[in-house]
Amino acid sequence: MSMETPATGAFGTLTAERGILFGGDYNPEQWEPSVWREDVELMQQAGVNLVTVGVFSWARIEPSPGVRDFAWLDEVLDLLHAAGIAVDLATPTASPPPWLGVRHPETLPVDPDGVRLVAGSRNQFSPASRVYREHALAITRDLVARYADHPAVHMWHVGNEFGQLDFGDEAAREFRSWLRARYGTIEQLNEAWATTFWSQRYDDFEEIMPPRRMPYLVNPTQSLDFRRYTSDQLLRCYVELRDAIRDAGARQAITTNFMGPFEHVDYRSWAGEVDVIADDQYPDPSDPDSPADYALVQDLMRSLGGGRPWMLMEQAATMSWRPHNVPKSPARARLDSLQAVARGADAICYFQWRQSRAGAERFHSGMLPHAGADTEVFAGICRQGAELRALREVVGTTVSADVALLFDWTSWWAGETPGRPTDRLSTLEQLRRWYRELWRRGISADIVAPGDDLSAYRAILVPHSYVIEPAAAAALHDAVAAGAHLAIGPFSGVADERGHILQGRSPVLLRDLVGVSGEEWCPLPGTTPIRAAAGWTPDGELAASTIAEKLRADGAEVRATFATGLLAGRPAVTRNAVGNGVAWYVGAVPSDDLLSAVLHEVLAYAGVHGALQPSAEAHDLPADARHEFLPPGLQAVRRGSLLFLLNHGDEPVSVHVPTGAVDLLTDERTGATVVVAPEDVRVLSERRTA
């Protein structure tokens, strides 16, 4: 969708004043006061203008029940304010002190086997626990009463990486309450859960338990509802603390940190409750697909915020939680930061400022490493700070997209419950595969929800959506009839929001749109060759794997068929004209070459162009000339009036650009060709004069 949505509210005001925010989590409670002064001096040297303080400080603020020690925090905030560094002040509620769990074991979570976890790590709380929530509210209210008007505090950070699971008695009580609100009567719940199967009928809500370990498979609708409940319960914890901050008169922006497409929380339902979308991103530098996969995450974060700028809240040069932690070079760390800016971030932050000398994350890197300031790591951080200041004009702008990519948490959850035809089909894997084809062409996408208005998009991609409800089907039909080009992947439109299988030939609600229908889902024993129909000549290996559908054409043009096996001769890829648009159906998990061929044609005839073709209307180009891949490793993104060129490859890349553009990072005017070195970035402005 083409848009220019400026940052609004307190976050927009903050970035308008300070430019791109740069910094990270700061944990002064781990260090002596003499170190704090050194930290502030080095932050100024690095260009840090925002730090998050207090995320894990509950035990320092409240060393024993009801005791408050704010003196150290007073000193830290005063030091930061005097240095001109803004503070994102955190509620310390993500990690309760051990005394809470020891005195109140009901606050501790229970795993699916019924085992109660113990205190001593982090995240050791049950979101359903009233005692935990009362203590969290108490310390939050005291924190805000003291610091709501402190001049250092420019943001509030609630909790940290909400994602705690609990299957205990506290959760059972809250789950039943959630179910009563959702269904009203036990009869309605029995119908929704189809409890006639396996004699699972309930007579009262009090009989219902969380889906703990059972003799065999759990009722899939019960599992789906427990996922919904868990996300909602965590959101309730966030909202309680957010409202306490607001009720105390705080006017700053309030947020918490997301974790990409995280399994346990439906961030789409959370997006309207935060003042700015903030996300933690830890790409693996040893994974060649990570630049594209995290571009997808960044497009998701931008989309969750309605196109507004977002925050990269956490990243790191080296992690400590993977089995084998390959470090980023300073150049790669810079590249990852600037990729986030290119895709809409107005804040670039790290976990953490100073690397911890002890504790579980002692090998998790910091902006200031164990070896100190005389290091390549810190020199790279200083370079990032200077370059982010040079990119001030990007603040408040966003990324335009003509492609919508459908992704929904409910469909993801429902589509991966046990008892399916195959457990080899992954919603996220297919989402990433389809998105990589966009990335290779320099095309950005908005990540949309089923049922969203799709009228502004030229192309709509549905890699895998197990759940399709009538509103989503209608939105897809309307968009295609109006001229959009749609592609749908296999095993889509299988079930409703309860996870019940839709009856009839599949995809039941979409078969008129795609002009093809199926009678059976067929997991494939291996790789199955696909034969292109006469007149369609895609390159490469045409094959399918994992799962296919036994299809027949009901008016659609068959573009490819299965060449061998149970499905030999049956449609594998179809194309159906509807109104002014076209709907493609891919009836099996396609090989990379087959997927690329389908999406090439979809994008070309939809008139979608990449970042390096901003002035060309694609429909004026020959089909074979559209959407050529960018040079290997190159990422091209347009944000506002700026063109970002990022080279993730090992070789220099030459790119044709408008003559006279200015590189904001070097202040040099370009010629007709720009060379982007490996792990380098060029940010070109056609408006700026050198």
Side-chain angles (χ1 to χ4, degrees):
M1 181 183 302
S2 298
M3 63 171 72
E4 281 294 325
T5 307
T8 56
F11 180 74
T13 300
L14 181 59
T15 55
E17 292 173 352
R18 293 178 176 253
I20 296 175
L21 304 176
F22 179 55
D25 280 57
Y26 182 38
N27 298 292
E29 64 273 17
Q30 298 177 12
W31 303 92
E32 301 79 16
S34 61
V35 177
W36 303 345
R37 286 153 182 80
E38 179 188 18
D39 284 333
V40 168
E41 292 176 1
L42 292 174
M43 288 177 188
Q44 290 177 308
Q45 181 179 330
V48 167
N49 60 13
L50 177 77
V51 291
T52 298
V53 176
V55 172
F56 299 116
S57 63
W58 193 338
R60 180 69 187 269
I61 295 173
E62 189 177 11
S64 58
V67 174
R68 296 288 186 265
D69 177 10
F70 287 121
W72 67 276
L73 188 53
D74 291 345
E75 185 175 352
V76 168
L77 295 187
D78 289 345
L79 279 170
L80 291 166
H81 176 62
I85 299 168
V87 171
D88 174 23
L89 187 57
T91 69
T93 49
S95 191
W99 58 255
L100 183 62
V102 171
R103 288 171 171 79
H104 302 282
E106 71 275 18
T107 67
L108 296 169
V110 174
D111 74 8
D113 288 326
V115 176
R116 188 176 298 281
L117 307 184
V118 299
S121 181
R122 70 173 196 178
N123 301 329
Q124 70 275 17
F125 68 86
S126 164
S129 168
R130 292 169 178 164
V131 173
Y132 162 76
R133 296 206 308 269
E134 288 167 1
H135 280 79
L137 275 168
I139 196 167
T140 296
R141 286 170 177 148
D142 288 351
L143 186 78
V144 183
R146 191 174 188 93
Y147 298 115
D149 295 322
H150 194 289
V153 178
H154 289 264
M155 287 188 66
W156 291 91
H157 186 302
V158 176
N160 182 69
E161 295 184 336
F162 282 94
Q164 295 77 10
L165 298 179
D166 178 38
F167 295 81
D169 291 343
E170 300 285 294
R173 181 195 68 242
E174 293 295 302
F175 184 38
R176 293 166 191 148
S177 177
W178 185 92
L179 291 170
R180 287 187 181 96
R182 181 175 179 86
Y183 294 112
T185 67
I186 196 67
E187 289 78 14
Q188 290 292 327
L189 178 139
N190 281 313
E191 193 280 329
W193 285 16
T195 57
T196 52
F197 185 82
W198 279 353
S199 187
Q200 292 177 344
R201 181 187 176 277
Y202 294 97
D203 195 47
D204 190 276
F205 283 101
E206 291 302 311
E207 298 173 358
I208 298 171
M209 298 294 292
R212 298 173 185 165
R213 187 76 62 190
M214 297 184 185
Y216 190 40
L217 299 178
V218 176
N219 183 316
T221 313
Q222 180 182 6
S223 292
L224 180 59
D225 273 346
F226 192 74
R227 285 185 176 274
R228 290 173 171 137
Y229 150 76
T230 296
S231 180
D232 287 351
Q233 184 64 51
L234 288 164
L235 179 57
R236 180 181 176 187
C237 291
Y238 166 80
V239 168
E240 284 179 346
L241 299 183
R242 182 205 62 191
D243 289 351
I245 295 171
R246 274 292 172 251
D247 291 345
R251 297 173 296 279
Q252 303 93 336
I254 304 174
T255 192
T256 190
N257 42 345
F258 294 174
M259 294 177 282
F262 179 58
E263 181 179 8
H264 301 312
V265 176
D266 178 355
Y267 288 136
R268 190 166 277 118
S269 69
W270 284 53
E273 304 292 347
V274 296
D275 292 329
V276 57
I277 301 294
D279 194 50
D280 297 350
Q281 299 175 3
Y282 290 99
D284 184 349
S286 65
D287 180 359
D289 288 322
S290 70
D293 292 348
Y294 276 85
L296 166 62
V297 174
Q298 290 155 0
D299 281 2
L300 172 61
M301 292 304 125
R302 188 189 69 248
S303 301
L304 290 176
R308 291 181 296 276
W310 54 279
M311 296 184 68
L312 176 54
M313 183 67 84
E314 289 187 23
Q315 59 174 329
T318 307
M319 283 61 71
S320 60
W321 42 266
R322 291 190 175 105
H324 186 65
N325 296 283
V326 176
K328 297 179 187 178
S329 67
R332 174 62 187 268
R334 168 182 178 259
L335 190 66
D336 286 349
S337 291
L338 291 176
Q339 172 175 313
V341 175
R343 293 190 175 274
D346 273 1
I348 301 298
C349 300
Y350 282 79
F351 184 86
Q352 56 183 324
W353 163 252
R354 181 182 283 269
Q355 191 170 13
S356 298
R357 63 187 167 190
E361 292 181 323
R362 64 204 182 281
F363 289 110
H364 191 295
S365 66
M367 301 167 76
L368 183 65
H370 291 310
D374 185 19
T375 54
E376 291 182 359
V377 168
F378 187 67
I381 290 296
C382 292
R383 181 186 183 187
Q384 285 190 43
E387 291 186 330
L388 292 174
R389 288 194 299 273
L391 296 179
R392 187 181 184 104
E393 72 181 66
V394 79
V395 167
T397 65
T398 190
V399 178
S400 296
D402 290 325
V403 177
L405 196 62
L406 193 72
F407 171 71
D408 177 55
W409 268 266
T410 288
S411 182
W412 178 21
W413 293 335
E416 296 193 5
T417 53
R420 294 167 286 147
T422 176
D423 63 4
R424 298 178 186 177
L425 181 65
S426 162
T427 297
L428 283 189
E429 180 184 357
Q430 295 311 307
L431 185 72
R432 289 167 179 150
R433 290 185 66 229
W434 287 48
Y435 183 88
R436 288 169 197 160
E437 291 297 322
L438 302 177
W439 187 85
R440 294 167 67 198
R441 293 165 168 84
I443 297 171
S444 298
D446 286 342
I447 316 303
V448 302
D452 279 356
D453 179 6
L454 302 172
S455 60
Y457 298 102
R458 296 184 177 190
I460 303 161
L461 308 182
V462 185
H464 174 229
S465 189
Y466 178 80
V467 171
I468 291 288
E469 287 286 293
L476 292 172
H477 185 280
D478 291 348
V480 173
H485 288 238
L486 167 70
I488 301 175
F491 208 51
S492 292
V494 174
D496 63 19
E497 66 170 359
R498 302 168 298 177
H500 295 191
I501 305 303
L502 298 172
Q503 299 299 288
R505 296 185 66 88
S506 64
V508 174
L509 300 180
L510 300 173
R511 62 190 183 207
D512 291 340
L513 176 59
V514 296
V516 64
S517 66
E519 61 185 79
E520 185 179 1
W521 297 287
C522 305
L524 298 174
T527 299
T528 299
I530 299 295
R531 180 179 295 116
W536 194 44
T537 56
D539 297 327
E541 179 191 20
L542 304 186
S545 64
T546 310
I547 192 168
E549 297 185 49
K550 185 181 289 186
L551 298 172
R552 75 179 183 209
D554 296 328
E557 172 192 358
V558 177
R559 281 300 184 94
T561 57
F562 294 95
T564 62
L566 174 69
L567 303 177
R570 289 186 175 271
V573 178
T574 62
R575 181 183 187 276
N576 192 45
V578 176
N580 295 318
V582 173
W584 288 70
Y585 195 69
V586 183
V589 174
S591 63
D592 289 345
D593 290 333
L594 180 57
L595 176 61
S596 184
V598 170
L599 295 189
H600 174 91
E601 193 157 342
V602 169
L603 296 167
Y605 286 97
V608 176
H609 55 74
L612 295 183
Q613 300 173 319
S615 61
E617 286 295 329
H619 54 70
D620 293 333
L621 301 173
D624 291 341
R626 304 172 194 147
H627 311 104
E628 293 184 0
F629 293 132
L630 298 175
L634 182 68
Q635 181 176 183
V637 188
R638 284 190 175 267
R639 180 178 177 189
S641 63
L642 302 182
L643 173 63
F644 286 75
L645 301 171
L646 306 97
N647 186 358
H648 300 271
D650 298 323
E651 300 293 333
V653 173
S654 295
V655 180
H656 294 289
V657 299
T659 302
V662 172
D663 187 339
L664 299 187
L665 299 180
T666 63
D667 208 30
E668 296 176 354
R669 183 178 294 278
T670 66
T673 301
V674 166
V675 177
V676 189
E679 292 193 326
D680 200 6
V681 181
R682 307 298 294 271
V683 182
L684 306 183
S685 171
E686 297 175 34
R687 298 179 181 177
R688 179 79 68 88
T689 58

